[in-house]
Amino acid sequence: MTETVSPPGRPARGHAAAVQAEACPIGPVVDLVFSRWTTPILWALHAFGRQRFVELERRIGTITPKVLTQRLRQMERDGLVVRTYYPEVPPRVEYEISELGLSLAPLFHHLTEWSRDHLGEVAAARVAYDDRDGPMP
Amino acid sequence: MTETVSPPGRPARGHAAAVQAEACPIGPVVDLVFSRWTTPILWALHAFGRQRFVELERRIGTITPKVLTQRLRQMERDGLVVRTYYPEVPPRVEYEISELGLSLAPLFHHLTEWSRDHLGEVAAARVAYDDRDGPMP
DNA sequence: CTGAATCCTATGGGATACTG
DNA sequence: CAGTATCCCATAGGATTCAG
């Protein structure tokens, strides 16, 4: 037995996921694609094509090598990116989007459109919400 | 002053967001819609319509009232859901998807489709990855 | 019923330093 | 260059309890 009691923190999605919690069918995808760093990475890879570790690191700018490695590994495992290792000195590794990863492109496109069309409303909603004073019961 | 130094943990998206880190234009949307509980909630609201707190709570099954409240508040502020308070005894509150929230439906639909079409490949990729033994350099 | 208050922990992720 | 290894902390979120 790996866990005796209910694990706090973040139990659900990747784990006993579809238990029953989410009739919500998109849980898995969300976990896959929309975690903190996956989108920026995927985006960088998609926008600038095959590139090596350092390029990616610099492109994203705020990510640490540790985390970048972690995420890339996971994405590689999930089949979203392809890692190619060149045993030279100095070593060279290149990452690129896989075909599967590329299949997400339309999705990203839709997201971009939604942003363009509705992000303003969100901002407005926030202002409105913050302006109305006194907490509602 | 709420924060004096650079906040570790999860600094970026909601915060000094678009600094430069992400030319990735979908960062904001991701933050908005694809955070841990927002999708299940949105889904429940969309699938079963206007409903009250407890219904939602039970529907989602694994969420605690505290977190449910937090997320609902945020989503209300973002204009994704509408909260209606009925000052009766016992008090009654109903939540429903806003028009803005509804505008996400196509997106969810695309995600569902992607799931249906490609989630198998992800699973396969994982098996393949785990099967190839020995860590790559 | 609807939530606010407390307390607590697992997890992600930043910083830094070190190897092959 | 491409990571790994440590250390360490902030935060999300679970459990539980209490209140209007």
Side-chain angles (χ1 to χ4, degrees), chain A residues 56-122:
Chain A
L56 224 47
E57 189 178 353
R58 283 201 260 268
R59 193 90 65 186
I60 302 187
T62 57
I63 198 171
T64 59
K66 187 188 86 171
V67 176
L68 182 55
T69 305
Q70 288 175 344
R71 306 281 69 174
L72 281 173
R73 285 283 191 281
Q74 182 192 326
M75 294 167 74
E76 189 196 357
R77 190 176 104 100
D78 291 340
L80 295 180
V81 310
V82 178
R83 174 179 183 269
T84 318
Y85 176 77
Y86 301 89
E88 317 166 348
V89 285
R92 183 161 56 100
V93 175
E94 291 189 349
Y95 293 91
E96 66 184 318
I97 280 207
S98 71
E99 191 132 344
L100 181 58
L102 223 47
S103 73
L104 288 164
L107 240 45
F108 278 48
H109 183 67
H110 294 309
L111 282 182
T112 312
E113 285 186 320
W114 191 92
S115 283
R116 173 170 45 71
D117 297 340
H118 299 286
L119 225 49
E121 302 175 45
V122 174

Side-chain angles (χ1 to χ4, degrees), chain B residues 98-116:
Chain B
S98 71
E99 191 133 344
L100 181 58
L102 223 47
S103 74
L104 288 164
L107 240 45
F108 278 48
H109 183 67
H110 293 310
L111 282 182
T112 313
E113 284 186 320
W114 192 93
S115 284
R116 172 169 48 70

Side-chain angles (χ1 to χ4, degrees), chain B residues 3-82:
Chain B
E3 32 195 40
T4 29
V5 289
S6 55
R10 198 170 177 288
R13 287 250 184 72
H15 164 248
V19 188
Q20 46 89 35
E22 1 198 353
C24 173
I26 68 173
V29 208
V30 172
D31 251 23
L32 202 67
V33 188
F34 300 108
S35 307
R36 182 69 190 86
W37 289 109
T38 43
T39 26
I41 295 177
L42 234 35
W43 187 269
L45 247 25
H46 180 258
F48 301 93
R50 161 186 268 244
Q51 56 200 293
R52 41 202 306 190
F53 192 85
V54 205
E55 302 184 80
L56 263 175
E57 190 178 354
R58 285 201 260 268
R59 193 90 67 188
I60 302 186
T62 56
I63 198 172
T64 59
K66 187 188 88 172
V67 177
L68 182 54
T69 305
Q70 287 176 346
R71 306 283 69 180
L72 281 172
R73 283 285 190 279
Q74 184 192 326
M75 294 167 74
E76 189 196 356
R77 191 175 104 100
D78 291 341
L80 296 180
V81 310
V82 178

